[in-house]
Amino acid sequence: MIPYQLQGSPPVSRRKEDPMDGRRVPEQGRDPATSGHGQGLKTEPCFQRDPLLSSPGASLVSQLLSHTVVSRSLDPCTLFPSSRPVGLPQGYELGAPPAEGAQALALPRTRALAPVSGAGDRESLSDEHLRAKRARVESIIQGMSLPPTPQAPGTGVEGGVGQDREKGGEMSWEGRRKPRVPQPQRGAGVAGRGAPSGGSPHAAGCQQLKEQLCFLEQQLRWLQERFSQVCDPGDTAQPLGGAELAGKAGDRPGRDGAAAARRPHKAAPWGSSPGADGPEGTQEDEGMQEDTGGLPSVARVLSQALKHELAGVTSRVVDSVLTSVWPKAAGHLLQQHPGPGAAARGEHFPAGKCRKPLAKSSPVGALGSPPPEAASLPSGNSLDPHGSSFSPTALRNPHQAHGVGYTLGSAVPSAQEGRLLGQLLGYGHWGSPPAPQRCPPEAPDPHWGAPRLRPSAVRQQRCPLPLGPGEAEGDGAPFTPTHEALTPGHLKKAKLMFFFTRYPSSALLRSYFLDVQFSRCITSQLIKWFSNFREFYYIQVEKFARQALLEGVADAGALRVSRDSELFRALNTHYNKGNDFQVPGRFLEVASLTLREFFSAVRAGKDADPSWKKPIYKIISKLDSHIPEVFKAVGCSQELLRS
DNA sequence: CGCCCGCCTG
DNA sequence: CAGGCGGGCG
């Protein structure tokens, strides 16, 4: 009726927001060197600016070890007793074969925790092992996340850094990103940049691993958290069906209920009032309360199983990292897997103007470059939503640390890592069989990530340790064909990706949907999807912004999107139905900013201008962050459906 | 001209 | 979500 006429009527045809002039603005975020297209397009070499990477391979490891400022109670020395990073005296078997290497490192830690140095009864030490391994992963991740810090293993710097991290959540969002942004190519005089920019060979791999680890850790904790919620007797009187619960926990009152319980106030729709926040803070490591004698046997079993699996996987991840980060030690083992998988998948690119095989340009890698304009963020208080057990660094880094465009070699981290990580996340099947994989055959990987995504596995109550012969690889062909059309699984994946990127370029899409036979049609569809996602997103945000305004909110800065806010729930249920994915904190920041922008704009009456949203879109378009490589996992799309 | 964005409609 | 449309950009 009216609509049509309005639409056509020239006068003030509604609000004809034109696409932002910076059309390619979105690309900006992807192009580390520039914010437009100015100079460097695919300038691979230039991006290796990450401070951490700028140090020679050897010292890289040193840093990993020396920066071991573990969260509370963990003493670096405990983790790495005699192993002195820098010199690495009697070559602490860092490069030792995977499994063993891990053990070697783990033991000391274990001993520290349990004087019962008895390496015999592993069963009873499982917990310690788990913790130890987790601690190690954390420390490594944290270490990698930390600034270059001149080779000062045990200097006081550590302490300072550590504390800083503690406050990580308080640093302003822009403050965290900004630093690296302005950095031109050739290291300016920035202090931290002192380190030479050597060891670029492993740089790429390292960066990716770092990034993936961060992401991985988040997901792991997420899993654990959810797991414990499921098993927690107190968590509503849900029948201990563990498995089934897991699947629904998300939508159902189960989780939300629990959350609500923790935060009764259920603040205003637009978010919780400042100060009154500390989301997961309370139940911190609910997972830590583990073996509480209270857990029903079934739960206990599940708990144990999960712990064991976690331990194993964690251990492997660590090995993987060490191996990649410190190839020298890894001996021949290392072999810079340029990703045969990548090559193999490259063929998926149809003719036309498809980008070159991932092998080089990797628009993806170029991604994550921190938006220069991030400064525009009015966001005063940056949040780190969950000041909980999460190591702040782990949370704040995945999106900024990756910053520099690494990725020169394989855009795909190496089928191996991809696999491991992917499986950890439950994206179990892999179409990339090639992977020269070094994963120990006995690796329980195949089952990993299953706990929640594949209830059946849990239900069977497989024996804790290794793999349950039951469904070994059995289900489904390991080969994922390249789809001609987009499937529901792809849609789901796209939605999750939206949490990282609102304005993906077609190139990026192509690089993340490797199991799809791209065509103009497919590409358009994907782009359309994101367009739709955006539409929904902006509509929601605007709605809440207006609501906040009506409710008398005065300061835009008070607006915040927390995991408890209605807005978040609205968005989450649309992009993350089932709630089986931990929404990256960064998304909350972006959403918060969007909310504030809308709020301010509306309050200022700018909405009178037909294209008042344009500026906002422009801002938001610059906030895309790098999408975890895991999403490239072939089969990921399919697996997602099952969850 | 193709690509993509955003809006609107179904 | 998908179509269709107008529109800006390279």
Side-chain angles (χ1 to χ4, degrees):
Chain A
M1 4 192 103
I2 334 171
Y4 196 75
Q5 303 183 333
L6 278 177
Q7 178 186 351
S9 60
V12 183
S13 68
R14 280 196 187 280
R15 29 199 172 64
K16 218 8 182 186
E17 292 132 65
D18 294 306
M20 10 183 190
D21 29 15
R23 205 122 285 288
R24 279 276 49 95
V25 171
E27 220 57 293
Q28 168 277 140
R30 245 146 261 114
D31 192 325
T34 84
S35 43
H37 338 250
Q39 31 184 321
L41 33 167
K42 342 285 192 196
T43 11
E44 306 151 36
C46 307
F47 317 154
Q48 322 302 343
R49 300 313 311 172
D50 186 321
L52 178 63
L53 297 177
S54 57
S55 38
S59 52
L60 190 57
V61 175
S62 310
Q63 291 178 38
L64 283 181
L65 299 178
S66 59
H67 284 313
T68 306
V69 184
V70 192
S71 51
R72 40 247 141 203
S73 82
L74 284 185
D75 173 10
C77 297
T78 309
L79 289 173
F80 307 100
S82 58
S83 69
R84 258 324 55 188
V86 185
L88 272 175
Q90 316 84 2
Y92 200 74
E93 287 299 351
L94 274 178
E100 284 164 55
Q103 290 300 46
L105 287 172
L107 279 169
R109 167 66 181 153
T110 299
R111 236 181 286 128
L113 289 177
V116 195
S117 66
D121 190 75
R122 288 203 172 173
E123 299 297 334
S124 64
L125 290 181
S126 60
D127 291 341
E128 282 72 20
H129 266 84
L130 173 59
R131 273 196 285 272
K133 286 168 182 170
R134 273 183 46 183
R136 276 157 46 224
V137 174
E138 275 188 35
S139 65
I140 288 176
I141 291 174
Q142 294 179 356
M144 294 191 286
S145 311
L146 295 175
T149 320
Q151 315 256 54
T155 54
V157 184
E158 309 290 37
V161 174
Q163 297 190 325
D164 273 5
R165 197 196 301 85
E166 286 302 326
K167 293 183 180 178
E170 288 162 32
M171 296 171 66
S172 88
W173 188 71
E174 49 183 294
R176 301 195 317 251
R177 309 174 43 89
K178 227 183 160 170
R180 51 184 355 134
V181 178
Q183 301 320 331
Q185 313 304 13
R186 294 309 154 191
V190 182
R193 214 171 254 344
S197 55
S200 38
H202 333 305
C206 173
Q207 254 301 36
Q208 296 190 332
L209 281 170
K210 177 166 68 173
E211 161 196 331
Q212 288 194 46
L213 267 178
C214 290
F215 177 72
L216 173 59
E217 193 189 39
Q218 288 182 54
Q219 294 301 324
L220 274 179
R221 288 178 183 283
W222 178 237
L223 282 175
Q224 288 187 310
E225 187 184 322
R226 292 203 58 187
F227 179 81
S228 59
Q229 282 175 5
V230 169
C231 293
D232 181 359
D235 185 21
T236 62
Q238 309 225 13
L240 261 180
E244 297 83 334
L245 291 180
K248 309 170 185 175
D251 317 76
R252 321 226 31 167
R255 179 162 197 294
D256 296 351
R262 293 197 294 275
R263 341 177 27 47
H265 52 289
K266 204 59 181 176
W270 57 81
S272 20
S273 52
D277 228 353
E280 330 295 333
T282 42
Q283 43 105 53
E284 184 111 337
D285 258 1
E286 213 167 285
M288 288 310 233
Q289 47 106 306
E290 41 197 75
D291 322 77
T292 53
L295 285 178
S297 57
V298 178
R300 272 189 74 108
V301 173
L302 293 177
S303 173
Q304 288 301 323
L306 180 55
K307 287 175 191 167
H308 277 292
E309 301 224 26
L310 273 174
V313 169
T314 304
S315 145
R316 253 170 286 116
V317 170
V318 171
D319 295 332
S320 167
V321 171
L322 288 180
T323 296
S324 304
V325 161
W326 200 32
K328 198 195 293 181
H332 58 287
L333 259 177
L334 101 114
Q335 48 178 298
Q336 275 291 14
H337 34 24
R345 278 163 279 187
E347 63 191 359
H348 297 172
F349 295 128
K353 59 199 65 197
C354 292
R355 57 203 258 323
K356 327 166 190 175
L358 305 165
K360 63 169 299 117
S361 65
S362 102
V364 183
L367 238 181
S369 86
E373 314 299 34
S376 60
L377 306 191
S379 64
N381 42 10
S382 108
L383 40 153
D384 201 322
H386 12 248
S388 65
S389 57
F390 280 65
S391 56
T393 29
L395 281 174
R396 77 164 196 257
N397 283 307
H399 313 303
Q400 55 145 15
H402 68 266
V404 268
Y406 25 85
T407 314
L408 54 177
S410 55
V412 180
S414 99
Q416 190 226 6
E417 278 118 40
R419 267 188 72 167
L420 179 57
L421 296 169
Q423 290 175 336
L424 274 172
L425 293 178
Y427 308 153
H429 301 170
W430 311 85
S432 52
Q437 75 151 148
R438 296 154 286 175
C439 279
E442 22 108 337
D445 300 30
H447 307 288
W448 232 98
R452 194 182 79 267
L453 300 177
R454 303 197 306 193
S456 57
V458 180
R459 213 173 292 132
Q460 297 180 358
Q461 288 182 41
R462 321 198 308 281
C463 281
L465 270 177
L467 54 174
E471 58 196 309
E473 275 278 301
D475 52 337
F479 293 79
T480 305
T482 71
H483 298 74
E484 304 254 328
L486 294 171
T487 71
H490 291 127
L491 175 58
K492 187 166 184 178
K493 174 178 172 180
K495 285 181 173 179
L496 292 184
M497 284 170 67
F498 183 75
F499 283 126
F500 298 90
T501 177
R502 268 62 59 187
Y503 294 82
S505 66
S506 55
L508 178 132
L509 291 175
R510 274 198 294 275
S511 67
Y512 273 86
F513 288 85
L514 299 172
D515 61 338
V516 177
Q517 275 284 32
F518 271 80
S519 64
R520 274 203 288 117
C521 186
I522 295 290
T523 305
S524 302
Q525 193 181 357
L526 269 172
I527 287 176
K528 178 65 180 176
W529 280 359
F530 277 86
S531 177
N532 286 330
F533 297 162
R534 255 175 279 145
E535 190 171 8
F536 178 81
Y537 171 79
Y538 286 127
I539 288 176
Q540 291 301 310
V541 176
E542 181 184 352
K543 189 171 79 183
F544 281 92
R546 289 182 183 283
Q547 193 173 326
L549 195 60
L550 290 178
E551 301 195 17
V553 174
D555 178 21
L559 294 177
R560 229 173 70 182
V561 178
S562 71
R563 291 172 194 277
D564 292 329
S565 62
E566 293 284 324
L567 175 53
F568 174 77
R569 296 189 56 185
L571 297 172
N572 189 54
T573 56
H574 279 264
Y575 307 122
N576 184 25
K577 273 201 186 70
N579 196 37
D580 38 30
F581 181 82
Q582 185 193 23
V583 178
R586 175 65 189 292
F587 178 75
L588 296 180
E589 314 246 22
V590 174
S592 296
L593 175 63
T594 312
L595 181 61
R596 286 190 287 264
E597 288 297 330
F598 267 99
F599 178 86
S600 301
V602 174
R603 185 179 53 184
K606 292 181 181 175
D607 56 340
D609 177 353
S611 53
W612 67 288
K613 291 179 181 175
K614 196 173 110 177
I616 300 178
Y617 293 157
K618 190 169 184 176
I619 294 175
I620 304 307
S621 70
K622 292 177 178 175
L623 302 181
D624 280 8
S625 42
H626 184 258
I627 304 172
E629 305 291 324
V630 199
F631 281 93
K632 288 180 178 171
V634 183
C636 154
S637 311
Q638 300 191 318
E639 193 67 31
L640 276 172
L641 263 189
R642 317 176 55 169
S643 59

